[in-house]
Amino acid sequence: MPVAVQGIRKAFPGTLALDGVDLTVGAGEVHALLGANGSGKSTLVKTLTGVYQPDAGTIDVGDRQLRAIGSPTEAGELGIAVVHQESPLVDMLTVSECVALFRGYPTTGGRVRWKQLHCETAQLLERFDVRVDPRALAGLLSPAERALVTLAIALDRVSAGLQLLVLDEVTAALPEDQAQTYLERVGELARAGTPVLTVTHRLGELHGLATHVTVLRDGRVVHQDRAGAVDDEALVRLMVGGDPAAAAQAAPAGKAGDGAGEAGATDVPTATAAGVPTATAAGGARPAAGEGARLWTGRRGRGGERVLAVRALAGEVVRDASFELRAGEIVGVGGLAEAGVAELPQLLSGAARRTGGSIEVDGRPLPPGPDPRAAIDAGLALLPADRLRSGGVASLPVRENVVLPDAGRYWHRRRAERTALRHVIEDLDVRPPSADALFGALSGGNQQKILLAKWLLVGPSVLVLDDPTQGVDPGARATIFSLLRAAAAEGLAVLLFSTELEQLVSMCSRVLVLRDGTVAKQLSGDELTRETVSKWCYA
Amino acid sequence: MNSTKSHAPAAAGDAPAAAAPAALGARRAPSPRSIATTIFSRYATVLLLIVLIVVFSLATDKFLTTQNWQNLIVTQAVVACLALAAILPLVAGEFDLSLGYLVGALAMLGAYLAKHGAGIVAIVAAMLAAGLLMGLFNGMLTVWFKISSFIATLGVGILLSGVTLGLSDGEVLFSGIPTTLTDLGSGSFLGIGTTVWLALLLAAILLYVLEHTPFGRRLYAVGGSERVAFLAGVRTGRVKMIAFGGAGLLVAVGAIFSLAQSGAANPGFGADLLLPAYAAAFLGVTTYRPGYYNVPGTIVAIILLAVGFNGLNLLGAPFWVQPIFNGAVLLIAVITARAESRAVKVG
């Protein structure tokens, strides 16, 4: 019973999101849908799940041919189940109550049978190998636990008559080992005959899972084949429409657009705000991320100097963690969330109060906190993992988000502010290229670029990044990493927390592995390989 | 407090759903139609105000007279102070429901001091100081004791209504009010009441503080997401304390204006100003900077409601039409603004 779409077209005013897309997902297949942000893959998923109705084309579900799926409810009735990245759990309710929102409450004479509810929920969670207490408050779960519970609910709902399971970037918030556990579960479902369509930014997790791959770019299918037909690098090139590294080196072209953009931004700031293409965007030249180091305003050229000293640091999970960081270094931190990887960034940045030990930034000791201001003033900034809850203010424009940590610096210096924002938008190729766009309306990749710029502009000695590529498309990842490398070359010390081992190995000169709240191992040089990091983190 | 944000069309909840189309349609040049839409959505209340003025002018020749407008505007000086006071905590994502009772209590405090022979300086200083203190007290309950501001300020308000009754002993106080004060209330400059000029000056100062100072930018950030602001190094507690304290001061100014204009303090005065003040603040969200609490929008809203009140009165509308008009304008304006902002985003 395959699900197939043919010749799907969908236009929004001013843009053609899907332009004649064909896609078939057969029984037992795991079809990976790839593409940069804005490539049309969200639109395609929304077409399949009844959120959008296509302008042309047909959708076959089982033996029924349809012009469109009218609503998410209709999609559900057709047997199409979707798991979104955003979890439908209600923070104030227990896990059992969240499950009951979908399953209904077991009652006798109108009275809820709580014991039975908890028991059934426990069974459900166990069936999908989710180790979460049914009585726990949903708001207190880790992102990983939330995603797993969400998945369990979705899988439970579609047990009968399932035609297609759509996974919409569900692994984005999961650490690699936990993502693995549930992807195995997805694989089992597929082998049992369920067609699966998975949307993801993590190419690594497709190995051994995906049977077919489709790459979208600008609303068209640019690649459709069995998995493994081309390697990961080729996939990334297909997605971004060119080698991102090559784009990053196109420095002269970026410079040329620079001057023209300046005139536009200074004279008619509202023109860019309204969406008029600037010279840079119209010229099609991608500005060089490599020279983005000009965003970082910290002290330069002091490579090797010690900038961060952490001694016997302790919090709720972290205990007796000690390490140092030198200017210009990019150091990774790996391990399980429970091992302290989730807590350490909070302690370092003063977001959470530490219970023991000391942190010195450039020789200045930080107070035990919570006091993020003290850490920022001392020269340590944190890019948090949760972009919308901790990173940026969704309801405010890009401009306000960028200047927030240092608003005083731009008082009565509107020109300096405009220049800084222009650099941010050009150097990071932010789309739309407008400082007045609402932060919450940007794609994940563009949000992360803005947040990175926000902290670089403060000019910290140490930048702590907590899982910076979660839900970020490959093009934006390349921009972010080349910017980080450029700033590190100038003297910024980077501490990179990541759940993607590949990233730790390729970006960092040294990786700290956390276990039971302490630094169990430091890997560097020849020791630093994907295998050793994986072994130390998860074994 | 999350419920605040639900009034704002640009609230976070709308954003993720609109994300993809907004990003895709980014490079589109603005069409004349979308510019017209923007003007309509930003200045719908201004257009409505103009329409009302034209209609009332044609319907009755008593409307467009200097005398009528002087009265119409001067009665709004106190409400304007309260609406400005409401905005400060609202921007930071908090409510101050005590301000209606507070303006009554402060006016009564002034009249009480006057009755017992205090001079103009002492009266004004005491009213301002008491307003500031009560504002900071609201802030303390919200920031330090982490009580929802909705509940905390309601509690403070009820408490203050008791204080008003205690000070007045249930009587209207009018003796000993210094003439300097009543002169301020009845004085005018260029045909417009002095209190109105002072209220406009306060509005200008608040506009500058909210939109052109680092404090204002931090305040909007705290209202947008307290967690994000905290992690960005904003002293969120201090920012909120200042917002509540400032609100208390603005209420005190409103109380001084009230005492100056009426030359007396009525124990029943104040509580029924709470809703008009909030109506103006919410209505203001639809104008000037759509989606955000802002000063110019609030001022336009106050004038709009006052013109509606005045015009309907002159036309001889029954007394119960007034609240129906106010409520309907508020609801329609907010609903239209939401629909407009959706249309703009999806397009």
Side-chain angles (χ1 to χ4, degrees), chain A residues 219-270:
Chain A
R220 291 199 190 85
V221 174
V222 292
H223 172 83
Q224 196 163 57
D225 207 336
R226 298 195 72 83
V230 298
D231 62 16
D232 287 358
E233 269 178 48
L235 284 177
V236 172
R237 270 200 301 279
L238 283 163
M239 271 182 255
V240 301
D243 193 337
Q249 280 156 14
K255 275 248 163 90
D258 208 339
E262 178 166 357
T266 325
D267 297 337
V268 272
T270 45

Side-chain angles (χ1 to χ4, degrees), chain A residues 320-360:
Chain A
D320 201 23
S322 301
F323 56 92
E324 291 186 349
L325 213 58
R326 296 182 177 281
E329 259 191 321
I330 301 183
V331 173
V333 181
L336 299 172
E338 308 87 83
V341 170
E343 192 191 22
L344 186 54
Q346 308 291 316
L347 294 175
L348 289 174
S349 67
R353 186 181 172 83
R354 67 169 188 265
T355 54
S358 69
I359 303 170
E360 275 180 24

